[in-house]
Amino acid sequence: MKTILTGIRSNSVLTLGNYLGALLPMVRLANEHSKDSNVNIFVPDLHSIISDVDGDLRENTIRTLKYYLAAGLEINENVHIYRQSYVPAHSELCWILDCVATMGETSRMIQFKEKSKGQESCNVGIFNYPILMAADILLYDAEYIPLGEDQFQHIELARNIAIRFNNRFGEIFTVPAKTADQVKFMEVDNAIRIRDLLNPEKKMSKSTLAEGSKIMLDDDPSRAAKKIMSATTDSLGKVKFDMFNQPGISNLLQIEALVTNTPLQDVIATWNGETRYGELKTKVASSVSEMLTVFQSKMAGISDGDVYDLLAAGEKYANDVANKKLLEVQKAFHLR
Ligand code: ATP
Ligand code: MG
């Protein structure tokens, strides 16, 4: 049985961009494949501590898992939910892979360059986390790792480490699929990029300080609606889906399509050529506030206990699988 593995850091409340661009597509893939594949959904809490955490990490983790459930994740015996720090084999394999990976290849990681840029002193975790990520993947023989495009280089690194390891010790790791096949698996032509509401040339990010730039999943629905009404558009005066020349308007069309689950082409056809931007904004504001109302009421219906029950089963499974793989690796190095 194939294994699909995905995770999202739980450093803070997520944005509408994270939800539409990451969470929802992952849930759709998980539901599509969990009949005949293992679907591992984990919260990489050890990855969280390479940067600041907003609030209490343990609580954030439980909330993130509730997001998956509220977004429609269907649970069956092939769906495994766990916290990374509750499976010690991740950290142990990370160290061993540190001794397989090279400084050269690890130093090339763009995320490292970006995240360390301008920092007076950067923690070693920011440099090392792609190796921990390789351990996260290789412990479970995961083939498909649906993640954002910013993570593709790290999947390539995991592939290279697995290939090098297998050449030296025999076929111990499943080599994850190539980037092109990962993209095919995700069934996306273009990664979804929800834009910043005030500066639509940029993507919406949870770390952006301006409140009006982003919609948080715990925003009061009426407040979220106001943010949409205040979104930056343009002075061209005619609705057209054109991310380059009319990114603000195009972003609203994109959001409308995703939150109402309507094909983008249909939304574009409805609004194309419309000259009153206010009407489009009113419609999108109402769709977003409706979506948030439903989502938040689903969140409220999921108890911490529901999540802990899933974690108990998931973490038992994860430790069983991961420890077995770790032992093979330890034996290869004559540690056992
Ligand atoms: P930060 O500002 O801390 O980098 P972020 O909002 O960019 O936060 P990440 O934690 O970097 O969020 O990314 C989590 C996931 O959400 C990733 O899979 C990423 O590709 C996706 N994602 C982030 N922002 C957007 C966006 N604006 N539109 C669509 N997907 C997004
Ligand atoms: Mg980011």
Side-chain angles (χ1 to χ4, degrees):
M1 206 152 84
K2 278 192 198 343
T3 296
I4 300 159
L5 177 141
T6 189
I8 196 162
R9 296 203 309 159
S10 57
N11 287 50
S12 67
V13 175
L14 298 186
T15 67
L16 185 68
N18 301 136
Y19 177 75
L20 297 176
L23 212 67
L24 217 48
M26 299 315 155
V27 166
R28 179 180 54 79
L29 276 178
N31 290 347
E32 244 168 59
H33 291 278
S34 65
K35 274 143 214 90
D36 53 8
S37 305
N38 283 308
V39 173
N40 291 17
I41 294 185
F42 78 113
V43 178
D45 52 356
L46 293 171
H47 287 285
S48 287
I49 61 173
I50 65 169
S51 54
D52 292 340
V53 176
D54 235 9
D56 183 281
L57 182 54
R58 290 163 308 170
E59 285 168 16
N60 290 353
T61 296
I62 300 302
R63 185 181 56 224
T64 299
L65 291 171
K66 287 184 186 175
Y67 285 152
Y68 281 102
L69 299 172
L73 178 69
E74 293 160 15
I75 301 294
N76 68 30
E77 70 280 4
N78 296 333
V79 179
H80 313 291
I81 292 179
Y82 53 94
R83 292 163 289 186
Q84 183 186 35
S85 73
Y86 283 74
V87 188
H90 289 241
S91 309
E92 294 196 39
L93 182 61
C94 175
W95 175 257
I96 296 176
L97 297 183
D98 272 340
C99 304
V100 176
T102 66
M103 285 298 290
E105 64 189 347
T106 313
S107 307
R108 278 199 293 277
M109 295 299 114
I110 294 162
Q111 287 293 306
F112 167 65
K113 290 183 191 160
E114 284 185 0
K115 284 198 152 84
S116 60
K117 199 162 52 191
Q119 287 203 24
E120 220 169 81
S121 108
C122 151
N123 71 59
V124 176
I126 293 181
F127 178 73
N128 201 30
Y129 89 90
I131 313 288
L132 178 58
M133 202 172 142
D136 300 338
I137 295 168
L138 300 179
L139 276 174
Y140 301 92
D141 289 317
E143 238 169 289
Y144 294 104
I145 306 103
L147 291 173
E149 63 187 327
D150 51 334
Q151 298 300 323
F152 286 171
Q153 200 188 17
H154 298 158
I155 298 175
E156 277 303 315
L157 177 67
R159 274 176 54 79
N160 291 337
I161 292 174
I163 291 167
R164 188 173 317 135
F165 188 97
N166 287 350
N167 283 341
R168 190 163 153 199
F169 296 112
E171 298 297 308
I172 289 182
F173 292 130
T174 296
V175 178
K178 291 190 177 125
T179 303
D181 295 328
Q182 300 279 352
V183 173
K184 223 180 276 163
F185 178 78
M186 287 190 268
E187 299 165 27
V188 288
D189 308 326
N190 286 304
I192 293 161
R193 281 265 162 265
I194 302 301
R195 306 304 181 101
D196 181 302
L197 295 176
L198 297 178
N199 300 296
E201 302 75 32
K202 298 195 316 185
K203 78 167 195 73
M204 184 183 289
S205 281
K206 57 176 132 60
S207 56
T208 305
L209 290 178
E211 270 304 309
S213 284
K214 55 191 182 179
I215 289 175
M216 308 306 293
L217 290 177
D218 64 353
D219 271 354
D220 185 79
S222 63
R223 189 172 145 76
K226 284 201 189 95
K227 290 182 187 175
I228 297 281
M229 295 307 292
S230 312
T232 302
T233 50
D234 56 66
S235 53
L236 294 174
K238 216 173 195 183
V239 171
K240 188 176 173 208
F241 187 81
D242 178 348
M243 274 295 180
F244 189 72
N245 294 307
Q246 297 184 254
I249 285 292
S250 306
N251 191 38
L252 293 177
L253 294 168
Q254 171 79 271
I255 291 174
E256 172 70 7
L258 291 167
V259 300
T260 60
N261 199 17
T262 311
L264 178 59
Q265 287 316 319
D266 295 358
V267 174
I268 293 172
T270 304
W271 292 96
N272 202 32
E274 175 64 58
T275 52
R276 283 157 302 187
Y277 286 177
E279 279 182 27
L280 172 62
K281 282 185 168 180
T282 306
K283 175 66 175 74
V284 179
S286 122
S287 304
V288 167
S289 102
E290 202 171 300
M291 180 240 122
L292 282 180
T293 305
V294 172
F295 183 77
Q296 289 169 3
S297 102
K298 282 191 190 152
M299 284 291 286
I302 305 163
S303 72
D304 288 6
D306 297 337
V307 176
Y308 281 116
D309 287 347
L310 292 173
L311 286 173
E315 284 163 6
K316 182 178 178 318
Y317 168 87
N319 274 294
D320 286 350
V321 174
N323 286 338
K324 223 165 114 195
K325 182 63 73 179
L326 178 64
L327 183 61
E328 283 183 66
V329 173
Q330 288 168 324
K331 283 183 175 163
F333 270 105
H334 295 275
L335 291 160
R336 295 287 183 276

